[in-house]
Amino acid sequence: MMKSGLSALAMSAMAAGAMAADLGDTDTPIKLALNEWTGQHVTTMVAGEMLKAAGYEVEYVTAGMMNQFQAIADGDIHATLEIWSSNVSDQYAVLKDEGKLEELSDLGLDAREGIAYPAHVEDLCPGLPAWEALKDCAMNFATAETLPMGRLVDYPADWGTPGADRMTGLDLPFKAVPAGSEGALIAELRASTEKKSPLLITFWQPHWAMSAYDVRFVELPAGEEACFSDPAWGPNPNAINDCDFAKSRIFKAGWPGLKEQWPAAHEILVNYKLAVADQQPMMGAVDVDGRDVEDVVASWMGANKDAWMPVVEAATK
């Protein structure tokens, strides 16, 4: 049973001391964006079930991470629940500054992104996890597609190019090849672990695969703000991005009309938080055990009603 005691959801409701709000338009579905990775589906469907418990209709809309923001500004989607600061589009900031998007609040996940590898790769590239080791063993990672450079499996193209940016910034002899999907990233990790073959990959936590495949992060120079704007900062005086990822902030955003049309829903989504300890087991149940995300979320909701219901009740009663 997926039980975690008093979660971030319940603590959020108590800390907020929220006043009950009107439900508003309960006949029109609230449309929530579904992006391309399992954790986001879990995050979104937990929020959706909370809204349903409050008395709302909810519709899930498939949307690309980078192209969802205009749809939210236009009111075609009403909220997105798991935005990662490390690969959010410039368009987001523009629309937010223009008042066409409302940033709701942080989700509460303690996250990290970086350049990673399965543990056995340390035997194939002595010197890891230090990033400098990659200079001397790049050929061990080469494929017919990347020769004479090593191969880095980057995020899917729609998520941005953070891995490629680091290879360029650190002047490492690797070619970044975008994965087709989150599932393709997992397939790479599984195949590398089973075959003990070399793999360098852009990856993140929380994710069940971090422990299932003993994935480790390359130690890069600290991701300080100057690294992303000043070429003189860092080991490569001719480039930016010669450092690790900035610490990821994970947050939520919505259509500016959300608060007026569905006041209590707005309050629920603002106060909604999800902890790694709650999200990660659900991700594993979907991606490892093969269960439907809807069933996994329903099981968690049923087992943890005392954790999420206070957020709903604080907004509606």
Side-chain angles (χ1 to χ4, degrees):
M1 179 181 294
M2 291 176 285
K3 189 81 171 175
S4 62
L6 191 62
S7 76
L9 291 173
M11 290 187 286
S12 172
M14 288 187 279
M19 297 292 291
D22 292 335
L23 288 176
D25 182 7
T26 56
D27 294 327
T28 301
I30 300 172
K31 297 180 180 180
L32 304 180
L34 283 180
N35 300 149
E36 302 91 342
W37 64 100
T38 302
Q40 198 272 353
H41 288 198
V42 168
T43 295
T44 303
M45 290 188 179
V46 169
E49 291 305 307
M50 292 170 67
L51 294 177
K52 290 178 185 179
Y56 293 107
E57 297 291 325
V58 173
E59 182 179 333
Y60 299 110
V61 179
T62 299
M65 222 301 283
M66 294 297 186
N67 61 26
Q68 65 183 332
F69 301 118
Q70 187 61 56
I72 295 172
D74 293 340
D76 296 328
I77 295 174
H78 302 124
T80 184
L81 283 306
E82 190 175 312
I83 306 168
W84 289 59
S85 61
S86 56
N87 63 344
V88 68
S89 68
D90 293 339
Q91 183 190 38
Y92 174 83
V94 171
L95 292 171
K96 178 186 170 187
D97 290 345
E98 292 176 349
K100 297 178 180 178
L101 284 173
E102 179 191 359
E103 191 164 301
L104 298 174
S105 63
D106 285 359
L107 178 60
L109 290 177
D110 182 17
R112 179 181 179 183
E113 293 181 272
I115 306 302
Y117 59 89
H120 71 267
V121 171
E122 292 184 359
D123 296 330
L124 306 175
C125 185
L128 284 174
W131 70 272
E132 295 91 343
L134 296 170
K135 297 178 181 179
D136 299 324
C137 62
M139 278 297 294
N140 292 345
F141 298 83
T143 66
E145 180 183 13
T146 66
L147 279 170
M149 305 176 76
R151 172 176 173 260
L152 166 74
V153 181
D154 208 350
Y155 282 162
D158 192 43
W159 299 8
T161 58
D165 294 344
R166 268 122 196 110
M167 297 303 102
T168 300
L170 291 163
D171 197 21
L172 289 172
F174 280 78
K175 179 179 179 181
V177 179
S181 63
E182 179 187 3
L185 290 171
I186 301 306
E188 292 277 358
L189 285 170
R190 181 181 298 114
S192 174
T193 300
E194 291 174 353
K195 298 176 182 178
K196 303 301 180 186
S197 57
L199 177 66
L200 196 65
I201 192 168
T202 311
F203 211 67
W204 72 96
Q205 64 180 33
H207 200 290
W208 61 266
M210 288 297 297
S211 55
Y213 299 116
D214 192 7
V215 181
R216 302 177 183 182
F217 286 110
V218 176
E219 293 177 357
L220 303 175
E224 299 179 10
E225 187 61 34
C227 169
F228 309 113
S229 58
D230 182 4
W233 187 99
N236 185 351
N238 301 312
I240 59 172
N241 297 314
D242 50 342
C243 63
D244 209 344
F245 290 59
K247 183 171 176 57
S248 294
R249 175 176 165 249
I250 303 178
F251 54 97
K252 302 161 283 180
W255 173 53
L258 177 66
K259 186 173 185 178
E260 181 177 354
Q261 188 163 351
W262 301 286
H266 179 270
E267 190 169 304
I268 289 167
L269 295 181
V270 167
N271 291 324
Y272 167 48
K273 295 188 182 298
L274 191 63
V276 170
D278 292 310
Q279 189 203 54
Q280 198 154 275
M282 286 190 273
M283 295 165 66
V286 174
D287 287 339
V288 179
D289 301 336
R291 296 173 57 192
D292 290 337
V293 64
E294 294 88 351
D295 293 340
V296 170
V297 168
S299 295
W300 185 87
M301 301 294 287
N304 292 276
K305 193 170 183 178
D306 58 338
W308 59 266
M309 185 57 82
V311 179
V312 174
E313 292 178 340
T316 58
K317 295 184 178 180

